[in-house]
Each structure stands twice: as C-alpha cells, then as structure tokens.
C-alpha cells in the first residue's frame, strides 16, 4: 500500500476567496497547498474591469503569509455589456480568463449573462486575445429540473457556443454529470473541464443523510452515484482535458445553516488531501500528479510549477471551524477524519 506520494506543486484552477476579512481567513489555506489559483470574480459588485482585477490581485497577494509562494491568476466577470475593448486591457494586465455565469445560476450571478448573443463581440475579442472562457454550465430556466440543468446547458448553450467560437479555449467548470464528462472527452483540444474534490467523493445522498446537511450543498448540486463514478473515471483516467479545480466557496456558517442556505463547499483547508482520498479509492494515485499539477497548466498555456508537495497516508481531523471575519467557516469534513495529510 502506498503510504506517501510526492508530486509537482499543484494549482487550483477554480477558487473563490471573497474579499476583506474573509479573504484574509482563506488565502493562507490555498497558498499552503497550491502554486497558483484561478480566482473567481463573483464579488459584490463583480470584478468587471482590468483595473479592478489588478487591485483585487494586490489584496490577495497581501494576504499570502510571508515565505509562501502563491500567485493568484485573475479573471473578469462576463456580463451582457462587458465592453470588447476591455479585453485587450485585461490581457495586458495579466488577466487570463472571463467567467460566464448565466444570470441567476448561482451565488452573486445577478449581473451574469442573460443571453449569450449579447456577449459575442466580447467573446470574439477573447478568442483573438487568447483569453479563456470559464463556464458555469447550467441553464437557469425554472422549467428545467435542478438535476438536469447541466446536461441541458450542453445542448442549448455549449454546443452552439463551441460552433460559433471554434478556437476559444473553454473550461467547463466543476462538471457534475456523465453527460459533461462525455462531452469534454469527445470535444477538441480547445475544451477542458475542472472537477472538484467533493463531486469526486460524494453523491447527492450526502445532502440528505440523517437530515438536511447544508455543508454539502453547492452548485451545480451533487448528482446521483452513476454521475460521480463517471467523474472519477474522467479525472483519474489520465486524460489531459480534465484538471483540478476545487470550487472551494466559503460562506459564513450561519448563512449555510439557514432557511435559504448559500451554495458552496469549503475545501481549501484540505483540498489535496480530499483529492488524494478520491484518487486512492479509485486505485489511481499515480494519476494525481497529471490531474493536479500538469493538465491545467498545459491547457492554459502556462509553465508547470517547480517544487513538490508530499502527501502521507495519515488519519487526522481537520478543525470543525475556522474564524471567518466576525463569523465562522465550517469546512467540508471538519472535525471528521481525513485519510491523507500534506507533509
Ligand atoms: O456552490 C457554489 N458556490 N457554486 C458556485 O457556482 C458559486 C459558489 C460561490 O461563489 O459561493
Ligand atoms: Zn465556483
């Protein structure tokens, strides 16, 4: 039995760090594990200009503990009227991507896109400039069952988008279904996908075991076991189109344990440990390094990290909660045993 693995320092290709005191609380967790992270722009108000992205990057860098090397990679929030000429400024500022939130799909998506046609000039500019499009792939129509929203998005939105922008690099973020895994596997080299640790480890039963469990609620919501198995197969199969993106999404505990609880699982405190557990359960620890450290960098056209991290097979309990500004943050699996530990 493998008791220790050392991999090239990994990156997190999908992360929420919020702002202010919340940001101060969570950035050290990610910086301890990852070399870089793609920072989601769904602040209130959203990050929609190159100047805002640069200022946000400075605030994140200032929260990195001394002695840790961590680089935030910035994104802009696509809206119906993000001007096409902001794209060149964004590229010059080092922004690497824009995030598409269909309006109303998830946390802070009110300013999101109501009709993809309205963004076509901006998408053309992105395709020219080499910025990636990161997609929250769910339709928002109330007529569509919540559990079907990702599969329907592929048919209604993603296939036409792919056809109209054949050379735009698209990352289908936090995929949750067999349909999404198949779509990405069969697509061309301009399409990739991130997979979270929680979607590899849990199916939708986790939300309802012994009562409603809000800390397992995220969007896209956990799906049934057949989908989880398809995601495990995709992530552990060595295919370079699939890479690590935690979607770690911190919310104050009292707003998750609420009549209308917020969507988002916090996993940054033990992200690699959770992925190692999922890969180990699949007998695929040897595939973790590609997924965590190589595929994302290659897809983005960025250099791979130097340096390594080591994980040991060791049972330990993560804290039940962390201070989060004036509130508390309850991490996934907090207070319960984790099977791997970052050395
Ligand atoms: O569960 C989620 N939380 N899904 C998202 O798409 C957004 C995120 C957040 O910002 O809290
Ligand atoms: Zn997210």
């Amino acid at each position: 039995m493998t008791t220790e693995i050392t991999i090239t320092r990994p990156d997190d290709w999908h992360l929420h760090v919020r702002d202010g005191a919340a940001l101060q609380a969570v950035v050290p967790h990610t910086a301890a594990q990852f070399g870089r992270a793609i920072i989601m722009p769904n602040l209130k108000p959203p990050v929609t200009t190159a100047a805002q992205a640069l200022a946000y990057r400075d605030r994140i860098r200032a929260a990195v503990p001394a002695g840790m090397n961590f680089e935030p990679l910035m994104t802009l929030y696509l809206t119906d009227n993000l001007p096409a000429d902001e794209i060149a400024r964004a590229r010059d500022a080092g922004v690497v991507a824009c995030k598409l939130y269909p309006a109303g799909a998830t946390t802070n998506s009110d300013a999101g896109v109501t009709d993809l046609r309205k963004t076509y000039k901006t998408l053309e500019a992105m395709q020219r400039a080499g910025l990636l499009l990161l997609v929250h792939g769910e339709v928002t129509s109330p007529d569509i069952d919540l559990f079907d929203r990702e599969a329907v998005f592929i048919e209604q939105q993603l296939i036409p988008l792919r056809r109209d922008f054949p050379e735009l690099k698209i990352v289908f973020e936090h995929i949750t279904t067999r349909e999404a895994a198949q779509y990405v596997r069969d697509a061309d080299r301009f399409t990739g996908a991130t997979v979270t640790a929680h979607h590899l480890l849990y199916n939708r039963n986790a939300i309802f075991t012994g009562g409603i469990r809000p800390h397992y609620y995220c969007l896209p919501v956990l799906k049934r076991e057949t989908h989880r198995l398809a995601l495990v197969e995709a992530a552990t199969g060595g295919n370079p189109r699939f890479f690590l993106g935690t979607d770690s999404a911190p919310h104050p505990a009292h707003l998750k344990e609420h009549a209308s609880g917020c969507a988002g699982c916090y996993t940054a405190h033990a992200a690699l440990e959770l992925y190692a557990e999922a890969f180990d359960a699949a007998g695929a620890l040897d595939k973790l390094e590609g997924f965590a450290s190589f595929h994302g960098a290659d897809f983005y056209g960025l250099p791979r990290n130097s340096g390594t991290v080591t994980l040991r097979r060791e049972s330990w309990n993560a804290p039940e909660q962390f201070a989060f500004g004036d509130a508390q943050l309850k991490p996934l699996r907090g207070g319960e045993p984790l099977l791997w530990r970052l050395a």
Side-chain angles (χ1 to χ4, degrees):
M1 185 159 58
T2 311
T3 56
E4 187 177 297
I5 61 163
T6 295
I7 61 172
T8 301
R9 190 170 181 77
D11 300 301
D12 183 350
W13 300 98
H14 186 126
L15 179 69
H16 300 267
V17 295
R18 316 303 187 202
D19 212 342
L23 179 150
Q24 304 296 326
V26 299
V27 165
H29 290 161
T30 291
Q33 301 217 332
F34 296 102
R36 295 166 291 196
I38 291 283
I39 306 298
M40 288 298 133
N42 62 333
L43 302 182
K44 274 189 215 164
V47 179
T48 53
T49 67
Q52 287 168 347
L54 286 179
Y56 188 30
R57 184 170 70 191
D58 287 344
R59 298 197 293 281
I60 298 167
R61 282 179 175 163
V64 175
M68 284 187 190
N69 269 325
F70 172 73
E71 185 57 18
L73 301 172
M74 306 313 290
T75 62
L76 296 191
Y77 187 115
L78 192 63
T79 68
D80 284 350
N81 37 39
L82 180 70
D85 61 9
E86 192 65 20
I87 297 303
R89 279 192 289 279
R91 182 203 48 214
D92 294 345
V95 169
V96 295
C98 294
K99 177 70 187 281
L100 164 64
Y101 288 106
T106 187
T107 311
N108 299 349
S109 63
D110 304 351
V113 172
T114 62
D115 177 355
L116 266 175
R117 290 254 147 215
K118 296 187 173 163
T119 68
Y120 267 33
K121 288 234 151 39
T122 305
L123 295 180
E124 275 159 27
M126 289 169 59
Q127 183 170 253
R128 266 198 311 278
L131 259 65
L132 286 78
L133 179 68
L134 315 182
V135 174
H136 183 110
E138 288 192 288
V139 294
T140 56
S141 161
D143 306 341
I144 306 290
D145 189 277
L146 181 80
F147 291 93
D148 297 335
R149 288 182 181 179
E150 185 173 278
V152 173
F153 181 87
I154 298 171
E155 300 301 323
Q156 289 187 356
Q157 309 278 334
L158 193 52
I159 291 174
L161 181 68
R162 190 67 292 178
R163 184 194 58 220
D164 294 344
F165 296 94
E167 302 210 342
L168 179 65
K169 279 193 188 168
I170 296 178
V171 183
F172 197 166
E173 298 289 341
H174 43 53
I175 60 168
T176 64
T177 57
R178 184 181 45 221
E179 288 88 344
Q182 267 165 10
Y183 174 82
V184 173
R185 188 179 312 131
D186 296 343
D188 62 23
R189 67 190 172 86
F190 292 100
T191 307
T194 54
V195 190
T196 78
H198 44 289
H199 288 99
L200 292 174
L201 288 170
Y202 298 104
N203 64 38
R204 63 193 191 178
N205 286 352
I207 311 168
F208 305 104
T209 302
I212 194 147
R213 311 238 299 198
H215 297 285
Y216 290 88
Y217 173 58
C218 64
L219 288 172
V221 72
L222 294 170
K223 303 297 192 297
R224 46 167 88 236
E225 179 66 2
T226 49
H227 295 291
R228 189 189 71 83
L229 291 171
L231 299 178
V232 169
E233 194 186 319
T236 63
N239 184 328
R241 303 271 183 63
F242 297 98
F243 40 90
L244 186 157
T246 61
D247 198 19
S248 179
H251 290 279
H254 66 277
L255 295 183
K256 286 194 65 67
E257 299 164 2
H258 189 272
S260 173
C262 297
C265 297
Y266 186 71
T267 55
H269 67 299
L272 284 175
E273 290 89 334
L274 292 165
Y275 280 107
E277 186 176 317
F279 275 65
D280 188 25
L285 277 174
D286 61 319
K287 297 292 196 299
L288 182 61
E289 184 176 44
F291 176 80
S293 313
F294 298 158
H295 300 168
D298 297 351
F299 189 83
Y300 273 77
L302 294 169
R304 296 176 179 181
N305 290 325
S306 53
T308 59
V309 297
T310 296
L311 286 147
R312 296 211 177 93
R313 189 185 296 279
E314 176 188 325
S315 182
W316 64 292
N317 286 20
E320 228 163 286
Q321 51 191 29
F322 298 102
F324 190 59
D326 296 333
Q328 299 297 314
L329 172 61
K330 293 198 184 163
L332 199 82
R333 290 272 281 281
E336 294 170 36
L338 293 165
L339 308 180
W340 288 84
R341 187 163 204 172
L342 196 65

